[in-house]
């Protein structure tokens, strides 16, 4: 496995290493001594991707002078002898890896092969068994090199047989583009290094390489999903690819696709499920994501099976298109399937199983369902017992059946439909148990009416006779006649198997259709979607049949799509942008695609043509291929009925046995009519679907094989159409590629088969992808974006120019070498790692700006917090003061309440005690007074008191004088009591009189107020009449005066002067009258207000509404007297004013008469 041509680009910096192997923040260079066979230590340096000896010993050919500051690895040196070979699979756990700083000087690309043969350097050497082993170069002599391998083996080899090894610092890089030497053993070693540490994902440029660990690895879960969502980690992962697709879909509003490829057992299905889990976590919330995830158990149960290479091999291809709403939430999904392997239903190789659902149904169905469907153990069915493999290690089929039932419930498949589905599965199994008996010498047969035949008829809902007829005869239409032909044993078995395959295939398609209805009903679609393609990988076995032919054709199409997006389109972009670009050659598989698709002499065209011929056989098909395609460079005819095709992944030999039959995939019309006559609804649906498909005629001559009246599209033609639709759909999306790698065929964790991995890497074209990405310009940026991103690093007057000038100025300022970039019409193109210098400078500048901003904002925050603290302290003082005052008020109220309660309690106690004392005192007084009365009464009555204390009794005589005195006092008290009662009666009478007087006063006051109001109104009306009359007279005098003034211009001065004098004399008293009236009106308003306020006040005092130290009755009488006096005086003055005004009005009237006479004389004199 030698590789002579190598691409050795310069390597500037390491952007990523395994998380657990990164050592950050090393300020100084760290050197590790490397022990050679002679015990001499040397320091190793890496400069621009080249490995060389820094301190060469004597006898070394050629010295190299290199500056340490140009080397991104100048700070590292590791032991070369600790690195094992790629094939042994042993990696020391104590390997030391340290990160390096980035260099600011980038060298040109140089040929590094000369350095790979220096003494003490490491190189890869291929052993006779094909494995690569890491060796240390001991000496060189011309073209011969002495190397030391593991186990102290020393060999002398040719220098051309060695491939350079990468420095230890690059062990386990997570992107193959970071390797200084890109060759097959270096890539194999890097992948193995990461695989042994459970780092199963590695970047290969734009492609993600995923190696199946065959065990659970701690790389999944909600914590990892959140880490990739918020970008706290950038390690390669399916989550990272899916997150990129999600972000680009939202940002660019372009549909995305994730294309997952790899051979069987590489982990494609699990990778697709992981990608769906991430999308469900990011776009979940509506509940539809749960339904989408639940489709996986259904599709795996009905479409996956155990093979020799994979315990859960997908025997169909699927495209899951997940639609999103405008807010990025999952709105629905659609699933499209390709080329289900129907032959597995009726034929199973030793060591393999049929589809999982059959075993799950036999082991997990409850007793009631088993009785209803006539289920038996798996070994009682011929279709399942062909292989002794019936179980998968670590998988519980019964539990998986329960999971499938739950999933069917989630996608809204009713219980009735579920029972119908399981009935169809049971019918397929029982079809394999139908046997035939020979009737005659011509080997004609008929089905045996046994348990299998009866159960099939019952499960699908048809008659036993109709089923026997459909399996043993075939109707043929010859002109207008229908001929019934009996079938031979082989034909009957083929008919039975064809019916079983068709039922299962239609059942699978019907389930997918039901799932799509569940995922799309009521879901809004915005046109944004992410498609996940999980399709079979390239297959090459010892015997390759029709299935491998179609699978490898599909992979050729996908490889063309891969080449188009990663090679063709990239180079076309270079040419369109006008950059200086030497086109890189890559392996294009267009010739192989032409071999398949060319008309009329392509593989598919010839296969369809031969399938339509009545006498076409697999041998005639092989001979036709050899005859027409022998000149094609991708085709080679083999012996017998075999041929070889040179695919992009290698040459594959196909055996044409069974090609035509599998391509025709005919189900005779008798079987279709049998299904259409069934009483169960599922067989009827299947029959209608098959009749619809059969109405599409085959291109080419019509062939009525066995009396089939109508034809359907061949499998190859239908598959080609589906593939073209798939490619058209993928072309309208932005692709993201994931290549799954199978590390071993044993399905064992920790085993790394170098040859198997290398074969898959070659098939996937991983090395070519990395080479073209490194040799090209993987980093590109528009002028506007570049200037906007890095323009702030320049001065203001430069940064304000056009984007192209700014971009060129940035490149010149930071000494980016001309060969490391290209300036296109619209974009700048950079080689790998060149943008890192600008990013470092930008990050440092932004970091400095952020530091200044952080200090300033910290100062502002501290000032703000101090002000807040002062304000908070003030508020707290106010609040606490208010709180204390409220608490004190509450305490005070409680104290007062306590005092009040205490007062009441003490008062009650005191009152009770006083009452007791009073009662006792009264009792004592009564006793004493009785004793005194008896003593002074003069009667014989004796009071014996204290007889208990004394032995003898004392007699007291009451004097008559004392008794008379007491009687006199009693009489006197009674007389005084009568006098007080009489005085009280008198006072009551007086009080009654006062109340009567007060009621009279109130009535009088009301009447006085009414009279007062009437008089006021009369006075007001008189004043208003006077004002109106005076105003009217004044207006008349003014108009007359204006007329007279105009007429007097013709009179003499004497007459005029006399008139004016008299007129002025008449105006003066009139004005005086007006002033008198106005004063009277003002006086009236003032006095009415005063009297009203005083009367109101006295009423309030009388009623008790106001308090005053006066007698309201007396003040009311005095106020009434004052009002009467003023009213009398005011009335007299008003009458005098009326007389004066009347007199003035009469004088004025006489003047008017004189003026009228004068005016008449004047008019008469004018007339004369």
């Amino acid at each position: 496995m030698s590789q002579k041509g190598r691409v050795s680009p310069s390597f500037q910096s390491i952007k990523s290493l395994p998380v657990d192997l990164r050592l950050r923040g090393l300020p100084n260079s760290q050197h590790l001594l490397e022990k050679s066979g002679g015990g001499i230590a040397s320091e190793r340096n890496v400069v621009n991707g080249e490995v060389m000896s820094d301190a060469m010993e004597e006898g070394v050919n050629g010295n190299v002078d290199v500056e340490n500051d140009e080397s991104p690895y100048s700070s590292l040196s590791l032991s070369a002898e600790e690195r094992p070979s790629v094939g042994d699979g042993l990696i020391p756990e104590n390997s030391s890896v340290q990160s390096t700083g980035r260099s600011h000087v980038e060298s040109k690309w140089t040929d590094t092969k000369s350095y790979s043969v220096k003494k003490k350097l490491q190189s890869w050497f291929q052993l006779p068994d094909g494995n690569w082993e890491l060796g240390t170069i001991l000496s060189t002599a011309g073209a011969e090199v002495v190397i030391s391998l593991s186990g102290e083996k020393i060999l002398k080899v040719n220098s051309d047989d060695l491939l350079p090894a990468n420095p230890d610092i690059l062990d386990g890089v997570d992107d193959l583009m970071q390797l200084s030497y890109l060759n097959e053993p270096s890539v194999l070693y890097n992948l193995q290094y990461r695989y042994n540490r459970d780092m199963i994902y590695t970047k290969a440029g734009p492609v993600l390489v995923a190696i199946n660990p065959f065990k659970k690895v701690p790389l999944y879960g909600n914590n990892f999903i959140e880490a990739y969502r918020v970008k706290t980690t950038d390690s390669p992962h399916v989550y990272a690819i899916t997150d990129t697709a999600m972000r680009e879909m939202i940002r660019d509003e372009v549909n995305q696709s994730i294309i997952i490829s790899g051979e069987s057992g590489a982990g494609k299905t699990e990778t697709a499920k992981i990608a769906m889990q991430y999308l469900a976590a990011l776009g979940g919330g509506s509940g539809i994501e749960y339904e989408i995830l639940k489709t996986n158990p259904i599709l795996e149960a009905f479409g996956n099976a155990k093979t020799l290479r994979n315990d859960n091999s997908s025997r169909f291809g699927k495209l899951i298109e997940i639609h999103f709403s405008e807010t990025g939430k999952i709105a629905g999904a659609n699933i499209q399937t390709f080329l289900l392997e129907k032959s597995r239903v009726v034929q199973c190789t030793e060591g393999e199983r049929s589809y999982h659902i059959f075993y799950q149904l036999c082991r997990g169905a409850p007793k009631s369902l088993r009785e209803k469907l006539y289920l038996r153990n798996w070994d009682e069915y011929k279709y399942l017992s062909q292989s002794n493999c019936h179980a998968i290690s670590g998988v519980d089929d019964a539990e998986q059946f329960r999971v499938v039932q739950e999933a069917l419930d989630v996608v809204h498949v009713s219980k009735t439909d579920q029972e119908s589905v399981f009935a169809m599965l049971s019918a397929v199994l029982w079809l394999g148990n139908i046997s035939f008996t020979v009737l005659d010498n011509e080997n004609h047969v008929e089905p045996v009416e046994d348990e299998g035949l009866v159960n099939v008829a019952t499960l699908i809902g048809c008659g036993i006779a109709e089923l026997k007829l459909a399996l043993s005869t075939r109707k043929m239409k010859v002109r207008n006649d229908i001929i019934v032909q009996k079938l031979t044993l082989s034909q009957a078995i083929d008919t039975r198997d064809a019916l079983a395959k068709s039922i299962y295939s239609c059942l699978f398609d019907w389930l997918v259709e039901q799932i799509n209805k569940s995922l799309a009903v009521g879901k809004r679609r915005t046109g944004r979607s992410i498609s996940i393609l999980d399709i079979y990988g390239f297959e090459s076995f010892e015997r390759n049949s029709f299935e491998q032919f179609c699978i490898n054709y599909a992979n050729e199409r996908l490889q063309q799509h891969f080449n188009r997006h990663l090679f063709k389109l990239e180079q076309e972009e270079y040419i369109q942008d006008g950059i200086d670009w030497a086109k890189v050659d890559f392996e294009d598989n267009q010739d192989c695609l032409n071999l398949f698709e060319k008309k009329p002499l392509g593989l598919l065209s010839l296969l369809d043509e031969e399938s339509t011929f009545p006498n076409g056989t697999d041998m005639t098909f092989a001979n036709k291929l050899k005859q027409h395609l022998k000149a094609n460079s991708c085709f080679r005819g083999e012996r017998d009925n075999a041929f070889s095709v040179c695919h992009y992944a290698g040459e594959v030999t196909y055996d044409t046995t069974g090609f035509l039959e599998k391509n025709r995939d005919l189900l005779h019309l008798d079987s279709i009519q049998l299904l259409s006559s069934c009483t169960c609804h599922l067989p009827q649906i299947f029959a209608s679907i098959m009749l619809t498909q059969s109405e599409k005629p085959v291109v080419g001559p019509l062939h009525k094989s066995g009396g089939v009246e109508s034809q359907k599209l061949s499998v190859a033609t239908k598959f080609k159409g589906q593939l073209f639709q798939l490619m058209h759909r993928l072309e309208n999306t932005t692709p993201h590629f994931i290549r799954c790698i199978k590390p071993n065929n044993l399905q064992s964790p920790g085993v790394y088969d170098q040859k198997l991995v290398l074969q898959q890497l070659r098939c996937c074209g991983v090395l070519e992808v990395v080479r073209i990405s490194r040799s090209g310009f993987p980093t590109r940026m528009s002028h506007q974006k570049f200037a906007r991103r890095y323009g702030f690093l320049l001065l203001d007057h430069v940064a304000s120019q056009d984007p192209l000038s700014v971009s060129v100025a940035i490149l010149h300022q930071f000494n980016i070498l001309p060969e490391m970039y290209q300036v296109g019409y619209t974009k700048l193109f950079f080689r790998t790692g060149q943008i890192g210098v600008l990013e470092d400078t930008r990050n440092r500048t932004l970091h400095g700006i952020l530091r200044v901003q952080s200090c300033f904002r910290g100062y502002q925050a501290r000032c703000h917090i101090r002000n807040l603290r002062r304000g908070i302290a003030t508020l707290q003082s106010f609040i606490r003061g208010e709180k204390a005052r409220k608490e004190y008020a509450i305490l005070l109220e409680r104290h007062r309440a306590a005092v009040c309660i205490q007062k009441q309690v003490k008062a009650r106690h005191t009152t009770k005690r006083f009452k007791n004392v009073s009662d006792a005192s009264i009792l004592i007084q009564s006793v004493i007074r009785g004793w005194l009365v008896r003593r002074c009464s003069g009667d014989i009555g004796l009071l014996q008191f204290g007889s208990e204390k004394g032995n003898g009794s004392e007699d007291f005589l009451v004097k008559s004088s004392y008794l008379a005195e007491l009687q006199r006092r009693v009489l006197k008290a009674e007389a005084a009591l009568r006098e007080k009662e009489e005085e009280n009666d008198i006072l009551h009478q007086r009080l009654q009189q006062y109340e009567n007087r007060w009621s009279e006063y109130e009535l009088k006051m009301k009447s006085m107020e009414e009279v007062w109001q009437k008089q006021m109104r009369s006075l007001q009306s008189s004043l208003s009449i006077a004002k109106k009359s005076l105003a009217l007279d004044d207006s008349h005098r003014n108009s007359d005066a204006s007329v007279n003034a105009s007429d007097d211009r013709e009179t003499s001065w004497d007459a005029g002067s006399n008139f004016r004098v008299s007129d002025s004399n008449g105006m003066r008293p009139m004005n005086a009258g007006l002033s008198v009236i106005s004063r009277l009106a003002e006086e009236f308003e003032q006095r009415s207000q005063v009297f009203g306020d005083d009367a109101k006040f006295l009423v309030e005092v009388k009623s008790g509404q106001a308090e005053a130290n006066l007698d309201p009755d007396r003040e009311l009488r005095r106020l009434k007297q004052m009002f009467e006096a003023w009213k009398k005086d005011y009335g007299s003055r008003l009458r005098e004013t009326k007389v004066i005004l009347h007199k003035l009005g009469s004088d004025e009237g006489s003047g008017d008469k004189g003026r009228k006479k004068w005016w008449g004389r004047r008019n008469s004199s004018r007339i004369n």
Side-chain angles (χ1 to χ4, degrees), residues 998 1098-1099 1101-1103 1108 1110-1117:
W998 176 247
L1098 292 176
V1099 172
V1101 171
K1102 181 66 176 179
S1103 61
L1110 52 85
D1111 187 5
D1113 297 335
R1114 185 169 55 85
E1115 292 295 328
L1116 187 60
R1117 286 192 297 270

Side-chain angles (χ1 to χ4, degrees), residues 213 655 962 1068:
D655 186 358
Y962 291 160
R1068 287 193 190 98

Side-chain angles (χ1 to χ4, degrees), residues 924-959:
I924 293 173
Q925 288 177 356
S926 65
V927 172
I928 293 173
R929 288 173 181 171
W931 175 74
L932 290 175
V933 170
R934 286 190 294 273
R935 181 180 177 185
C936 298
S937 61
D939 295 334
I940 304 175
L942 296 176
L943 179 62
Q944 296 179 357
F945 182 75
S947 58
E948 295 87 357
K949 297 181 181 180
N951 297 327
S953 60
E954 297 181 0
D955 298 333
F956 296 91
L957 298 177
V958 181
K959 294 182 179 181

Side-chain angles (χ1 to χ4, degrees), residues 41-78:
S42 62
E43 184 179 356
R44 303 179 63 235
N45 293 295
V46 183
V47 181
N48 297 326
E50 302 164 2
V51 183
M52 61 193 72
S53 176
D54 186 40
M56 305 297 292
E57 299 180 10
E58 295 182 2
V60 177
N61 295 330
N63 297 324
V64 181
D65 185 14
V66 180
E67 296 182 2
N68 287 338
D69 59 353
E70 289 190 16
S71 173
Y73 315 112
S74 59
S75 61
L76 295 167
S77 179
L78 299 177

